[in-house]
């Protein structure tokens, strides 16, 4: 029985890896630029916060504002990187470059293309997280070695944001329509999900909404526990939410993509 | 039925888009090693048929076997042995010509080293050696089509499916592709192609079908189709009311094709003689019937969307 499952899983894993590897090779075409951005972005953001806003805000609870804000740099970067990759970038590959059509004429299936894209989107999130983590380590804004857990968390949240993005890609009539989830879903999360200020400052119903429906709320709660080295039992709830949502959105993305492309 | 199993077997193959039958109960069999053509106007159902054979579009009904297997259940295994030249150029614009072939070979699980050596050979085969390291967007249309042909061969397919392989190409590029297709056939591979170009079909195909409105109208060898569908030769002259009246007075049936009048006849000398003697025309041409005449006879002259 196990052998049968394994025999079925091997070609699927291969297909996914070929799709991932294709995107990785494109990424490596311009390594200097592609690796410089994830380093430069957090340095600029942290400088603006640390030298600027942080000077006005002072302390959040018993930590400095920079220390409070640092995990948000990682959380939002993972969200943006993964979501952008599997929305706009995937849409370009799917619609304009016909890359999905070219690949599905080979033994690689559409499901493997979708999963390879999602895994690639998550990989970009992880690349950002790793680069930012280095900056935070140098700036003394993260607790080590516990903060290394940021990497697996970035992978999980990257997969989730990428899977949500691929769902929107599958139903978008045109590339401009992707602006809707970007501005109605991603940007509000960037501003309100415990990133720039604690979630507790929001009215209770808004907090409840954020907790129930917005993935970044859970990513931020976990990120902060990790970089501050202050875990609570709630970590399991947040983790369960993220895993549950991932399990939901991956098959949904597959179904929506099949509905769009297999005619 | 032949004793050797067919490479593609379709029986009452049907594809609906909503309630519209794009392919309507068609039956055909492609034998090992032959070049088999699908002709037809736009919207006849050729591409849809190709896509079903390529295992990328599920059928709505009927039986389809490609390389002895059902695409509904064995798509991955079938695709391993099939090469596809799609109508739309979908080369990967992020890579050079050579990289396109190497990356594509990976989708077939071909080891990188092996993929690189096949890419080298195929680049030579389609005469793109000097352009091997050129990014896709800097290739001309003809070069792109040649590269797509090379890409379709990267898995050494038993069956090559080409949808409009020479669309939009200049005569030089078309001849090169025809020449390469002949040598692929000589290696014993089976080729299925669609085309609008009737001279292309006449040159390349061992057998062909003409499709329209989702149905197959006729099937056969190009030469025998012409003989079967058109009696004798074609006499052509200019289309004027006087010529029309004159032909009518002689009781000669004719067909109007835009600026020309065509007469199908077994006795072209008599028709030409009558025209020249009593119709006061400036120009008359007698020619052999071609596949194009068969095509227009069967599918009509009306423009298709």
């Amino acid at each position: 029985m196990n052998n049968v499952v394994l025999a079925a899983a091997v070609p699927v894993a291969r297909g996914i890896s070929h799709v991932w590897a294709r995107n990785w090779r494109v990424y490596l075409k311009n390594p200097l630029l592609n690796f410089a951005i994830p380093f430069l972005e957090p340095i600029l953001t942290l400088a603006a916060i640390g030298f600027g806003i942080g000077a006005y805000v002072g302390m959040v609870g018993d930590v400095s504002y920079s220390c409070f804000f640092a995990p948000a740099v990682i959380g939002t970067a993972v969200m943006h990187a993964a979501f952008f990759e599997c929305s706009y970038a995937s849409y370009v590959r799917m619609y304009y470059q016909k890359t999905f059509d070219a690949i599905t004429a080979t033994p690689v299936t559409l499901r493997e293309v979708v999963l390879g894209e999602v895994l690639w989107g998550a990989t970009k999130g992880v690349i950002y997280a790793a680069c930012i983590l280095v900056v935070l380590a140098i700036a003394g804004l993260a607790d080590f070695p516990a903060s290394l857990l940021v990497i697996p968390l970035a992978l999980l949240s990257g997969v989730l944001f990428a899977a949500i993005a691929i769902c929107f890609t599958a139903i978008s009539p045109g590339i401009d329509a992707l602006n809707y989830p970007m501005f109605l879903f991603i940007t509000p999360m960037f501003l309100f999900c415990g990133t720039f200020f604690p979630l507790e400052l929001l009215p209770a119903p808004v907090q409840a909404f954020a907790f129930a429906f917005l993935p970044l709320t859970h990513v931020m709660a976990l990120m902060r526990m990790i970089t501050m080295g202050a875990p609570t039992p709630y970590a399991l709830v947040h983790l369960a939410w993220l895993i549950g949502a991932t399990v939901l959105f991956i098959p949904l993305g597959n179904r929506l993509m099949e509905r769009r492309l297999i005619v | 039925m032949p004793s050797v199993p067919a490479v593609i077997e379709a029986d009452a193959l049907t594809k609906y888009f909503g309630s519209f039958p794009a392919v309507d109960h068609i039956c055909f069999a492609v034998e090992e090693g032959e070049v088999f053509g699908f002709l037809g106007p736009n919207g006849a159902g050729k591409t849809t048929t190709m896509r079903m054979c390529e295992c990328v579009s599920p059928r709505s009904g009927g039986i389809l076997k490609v390389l002895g297997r059902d695409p509904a259940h064995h798509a991955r295994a079938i695709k391993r042995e099939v090469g596809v030249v799609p109508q739309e150029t979908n080369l990967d614009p992020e890579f050079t010509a050579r990289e396109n072939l190497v990356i594509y070979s990976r989708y077939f699980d071909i080891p990188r080293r092996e993929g690189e050596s096949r890419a080298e050979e195929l680049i030579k085969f389609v005469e793109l050696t000097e352009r091997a390291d050129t990014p896709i967007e800097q290739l001309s249309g003809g070069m792109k089509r040649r590269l797509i042909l090379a890409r379709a061969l990267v898995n050494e397919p038993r069956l090559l499916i080409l949808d409009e392989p020479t669309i939009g190409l200049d005569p030089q590029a078309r001849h090169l592709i025809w020449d390469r297709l002949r040598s692929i056939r000589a290696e014993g591979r089976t080729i299925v192609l669609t085309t609008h170009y009737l001279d292309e079909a006449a040159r390349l195909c061992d057998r062909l079908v003409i499709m329209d409105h989702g149905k197959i109208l006729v099937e056969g060898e190009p030469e025998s189709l012409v003989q079967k569908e058109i009696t004798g030769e074609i006499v052509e002259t200019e289309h004027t009311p006087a010529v029309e009246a004159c032909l009518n007075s002689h009781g000669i049936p004719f067909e109007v094709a835009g600026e020309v009048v065509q007469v199908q006849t077994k006795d072209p000398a008599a028709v030409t003689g009558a025209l020249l003697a009593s119709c006061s025309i400036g120009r008359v041409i007698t020619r052999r019937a071609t596949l194009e005449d068969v095509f227009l006879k069967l599918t009509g002259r009306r423009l298709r969307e």
Side-chain angles (χ1 to χ4, degrees), chain A residues 62-241:
Chain A
D62 50 6
V63 298
S64 72
Y65 187 71
S66 297
C67 212
F68 170 83
F69 184 68
V73 179
I74 309 180
T76 57
V78 170
M79 173 178 76
H80 277 131
F83 194 87
F84 182 89
E85 189 61 31
C86 284
S87 55
Y88 296 102
S90 286
Y91 198 91
V92 167
R93 288 191 281 272
M94 170 185 79
Y95 184 81
Y96 294 99
Q97 304 186 350
K98 309 280 175 202
T99 311
F100 294 8
D101 291 347
I103 299 176
T104 50
T106 73
V108 179
T109 65
L110 182 58
R111 270 166 189 257
E112 290 149 23
V113 172
V114 171
L115 294 174
E117 287 283 309
V118 167
L119 197 60
W120 170 246
T123 303
K124 282 199 87 172
V126 170
I127 292 170
Y128 269 80
C131 294
I132 297 167
L133 203 55
V134 172
V135 176
L136 295 191
I138 294 167
L141 292 172
D143 189 52
F144 279 91
S147 287
L148 291 176
L149 284 173
V150 160
I151 300 300
L153 176 58
L155 182 63
L156 170 63
S157 22
V159 167
L160 174 57
F161 286 118
I164 295 172
I166 215 83
C167 294
F168 283 112
T169 299
I171 59 171
S172 278
I175 195 163
D176 289 340
L178 289 171
N179 292 338
Y180 290 111
M182 205 56 170
F183 290 110
L184 299 176
F185 179 59
I186 298 296
T187 303
M189 282 199 286
F190 171 69
L191 296 173
F192 294 105
C193 287
T195 47
F196 292 91
F197 55 88
L199 191 69
E200 291 73 34
L201 296 184
L202 291 170
V206 182
Q207 275 187 56
F209 177 83
F211 191 91
F213 297 111
L214 302 178
L216 189 64
T217 309
H218 304 280
V219 174
M220 275 317 306
L222 289 167
M223 281 288 176
R224 202 155 272 139
M225 286 181 202
I226 291 171
T227 61
M228 292 184 180
T232 72
Y234 278 119
L236 293 176
V237 179
H238 296 301
L239 200 60
W241 195 102

Side-chain angles (χ1 to χ4, degrees), chain A residues 11-12 14 18-19 22 25-26 29 97-99 101-109 112 261-263, chain B residues 15 17 51 56-58 76 79-80 88 90 92-95 99 103-104 106-109 112 151:
Chain A
V12 174
R14 274 206 195 122
H18 295 326
V19 175
R22 181 254 168 224
R25 273 187 77 146
V26 175
K29 286 229 150 185
Q97 304 186 350
K98 309 280 175 202
T99 311
D101 291 347
I103 299 176
T104 50
T106 73
V108 179
T109 65
E112 290 149 23
L261 294 179
I262 298 185
V263 288
Chain B
K15 176 78 184 187
F17 292 123
R51 286 172 53 81
V56 295
S57 177
R76 200 192 293 271
K79 287 187 198 171
R80 264 183 209 293
E88 211 164 9
N90 59 11
D92 200 325
E94 307 277 6
F95 298 109
E99 285 170 333
I103 300 272
Y104 213 70
R106 296 296 295 142
Y107 301 138
F108 291 90
D109 299 326
R112 182 167 298 272
R151 192 184 69 175

Side-chain angles (χ1 to χ4, degrees), chain B residues 21-297:
Chain B
V23 173
D24 195 357
H25 294 83
I26 63 169
C27 303
F28 64 91
V30 178
E31 308 300 336
E32 183 100 49
E34 74 175 339
V35 179
F36 192 93
F38 283 83
L39 272 64
N42 285 335
K46 308 182 300 286
T47 295
T48 306
T49 306
M50 292 306 102
R51 286 172 53 81
M52 287 191 278
C53 295
E54 291 160 12
C55 313
V56 295
S57 177
R59 66 183 185 269
S60 311
I63 293 169
L64 179 63
K65 281 197 170 169
V66 182
L67 298 167
R69 294 179 167 118
D70 184 343
H73 301 109
H74 303 282
R76 200 192 293 271
I78 295 169
K79 287 187 198 171
R80 264 183 209 293
E81 299 187 83
V82 175
V84 174
V85 172
Q87 197 174 112
E88 211 164 9
T89 298
N90 59 11
L91 292 161
D92 200 325
E94 307 277 6
F95 298 109
T96 65
R98 187 200 310 273
E99 285 170 333
N100 257 278
L101 300 188
V102 176
I103 300 272
Y104 213 70
S105 75
R106 296 296 295 142
Y107 301 138
F108 291 90
D109 299 326
I110 296 164
R112 182 167 298 272
R113 195 66 64 74
E114 172 71 18
E116 280 165 3
S117 82
R118 284 191 199 180
E120 199 61 48
E121 265 169 56
L122 287 168
I123 291 249
K124 216 177 291 171
F125 179 69
V126 295
E127 295 185 10
L128 283 173
T129 310
E130 274 109 73
R131 297 308 196 108
D133 298 309
T134 305
I136 294 306
E137 75 233 41
Q138 289 170 27
L139 297 179
S140 72
M143 291 174 185
K144 284 182 190 163
R145 285 315 274 178
R146 271 142 67 193
L147 187 60
I148 288 200
L149 176 62
R151 192 184 69 175
L153 295 170
V154 89
N155 58 325
E156 300 182 338
R158 261 177 76 193
L159 168 64
L160 186 61
I161 300 176
L162 308 104
D163 198 355
E164 305 284 355
T166 63
I167 197 160
L169 298 188
D170 62 30
Q172 288 83 351
R174 293 178 75 198
H175 277 278
L176 186 109
I177 292 209
W178 291 340
D179 181 64
R180 293 306 177 264
L181 289 179
R182 284 192 201 99
S183 60
I184 291 162
R185 181 185 183 274
E187 288 169 7
R189 302 183 206 279
T190 309
I191 298 176
V192 174
L193 61 90
T194 76
T195 183
H196 288 304
Y197 300 122
L198 296 143
D199 58 328
E200 178 165 291
R203 274 163 198 267
L204 288 177
C205 296
D206 298 306
R207 285 194 305 142
L208 57 86
V209 295
I210 296 180
M211 278 186 87
D212 201 8
H213 303 298
K215 290 187 159 63
I216 290 178
L217 304 177
V218 283
E219 191 224 288
E221 292 162 19
E223 197 53 37
S224 60
L225 269 183
V226 175
Q227 280 166 19
K228 201 173 85 187
E229 298 292 332
I230 312 268
T231 14
E233 266 129 289
I234 309 273
V235 177
E236 279 182 355
T237 184
E238 65 243 40
H239 177 214
T240 62
V243 169
E244 246 184 76
C246 177
L247 283 168
N248 280 329
S249 71
H250 281 87
I252 301 172
F254 62 91
E255 207 184 313
V256 177
E259 303 283 291
V260 270
V261 169
Q262 292 186 341
V263 179
Q264 242 187 67
T265 173
K266 277 185 180 158
D267 191 358
V271 174
T272 313
L275 278 166
L276 288 172
S278 58
C279 298
S280 68
I281 49 158
R283 221 165 78 95
V284 61
I285 297 168
T286 302
R287 61 172 176 80
R288 305 202 41 200
T290 65
L291 203 50
E292 186 150 341
D293 298 309
V294 178
F295 185 89
L296 290 172
K297 179 188 160 194

